[in-house]
């Protein structure tokens, strides 16, 4: 009798057990598969692109594709990216109204990154039309022989900013001293963490993060794909 009961119960148990096993295998396969597809394509896809409200944006705000740079004024690769890839991107896609370009500060190089970003955010707040030129001039001032050198200083910022008639130097100085735009820096740092940015520059096309920001052909193909799918 005992034996019979046991036999009765076991098929159901087996079914439950098998279902669990199959479910577990499927879950593992799904995870492995998604990891594979990402690494094969040298990119990581996020569910949503970084929000760019309050960030400096270049180009048509209604452009269908958004390219975001996570950059650091102290980083030599960001300077190089700005000189080699950025002009092509602006010429090919931003000026044609297909792409809007946004910049988010990364503070991987300590106090100088912070000072440069505070200054840039202050310039953006008081004179958005001066922002991108100031941004470019700040990168230009980065010494190409020794980026570790102390070069983002108060004096350097004043020197660069004084070439812009629309920048109120006194306001800029006050903003730096009082860290008026610290909130903006914190907002940027939160995005850096949320999107797990490890290197600068990190480039994202809509929600897709490139492994190699210097692969312009890849950037182009991602933009074209997004344009086709719009
Ligand atoms: Ca910002």
């Amino acid at each position: 009798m005992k034996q019979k009961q046991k036999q009765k119960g076991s098929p159901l148990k087996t079914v439950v057990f098998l279902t669990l096993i199959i479910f577990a295998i499927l879950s593992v396969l799904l995870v492995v598969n998604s990891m594979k597809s990402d690494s094969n394509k040298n990119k990581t896809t996020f569910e949503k692109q970084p929000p760019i409200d309050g960030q400096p944006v270049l180009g048509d705000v209604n452009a269908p594709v958004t390219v975001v740079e996570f950059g650091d004024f102290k980083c030599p690769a960001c300077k190089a990216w700005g000189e080699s890839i950025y002009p092509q991107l602006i010429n090919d896609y931003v000026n044609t109204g297909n792409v809007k370009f946004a910049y988010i500060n990364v503070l991987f190089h300590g106090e100088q990154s912070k000072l440069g970003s505070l200054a840039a955010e202050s310039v953006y707040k008081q004179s958005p039309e001066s922002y991108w030129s100031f941004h470019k001039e700040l990168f230009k001032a980065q010494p190409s022989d020794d980026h570790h050198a102390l070069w983002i200083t108060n004096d350097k910022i004043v020197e660069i900013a004084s070439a812009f008639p629309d920048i109120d130097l006194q306001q800029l100085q006050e903003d730096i001293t009082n860290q008026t735009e610290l909130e903006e820096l914190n907002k940027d740092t939160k995005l850096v963490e949320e999107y797990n940015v490890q290197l600068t520059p990190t480039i994202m096309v809509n929600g897709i993060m490139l492994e190699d920001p210097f692969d312009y052909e890849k950037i182009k193909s991602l933009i074209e794909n997004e344009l086709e799918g719009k």
Side-chain angles (χ1 to χ4, degrees), residues 50-52 55 68-72 102-106 188-189 191-192:
I52 56 165
Q55 303 292 359
V68 171
E69 176 187 0
F70 287 91
D72 185 336
Y103 183 85
I104 295 172
N105 292 298
V106 182
D188 291 1
T189 299
L191 289 172
V192 167

Side-chain angles (χ1 to χ4, degrees), residues 5-17:
Q5 266 181 345
K6 245 189 188 172
Q7 275 174 345
K8 243 188 180 178
S10 67
L12 183 65
K13 268 189 190 166
T14 310
V15 168
V16 171
F17 184 67

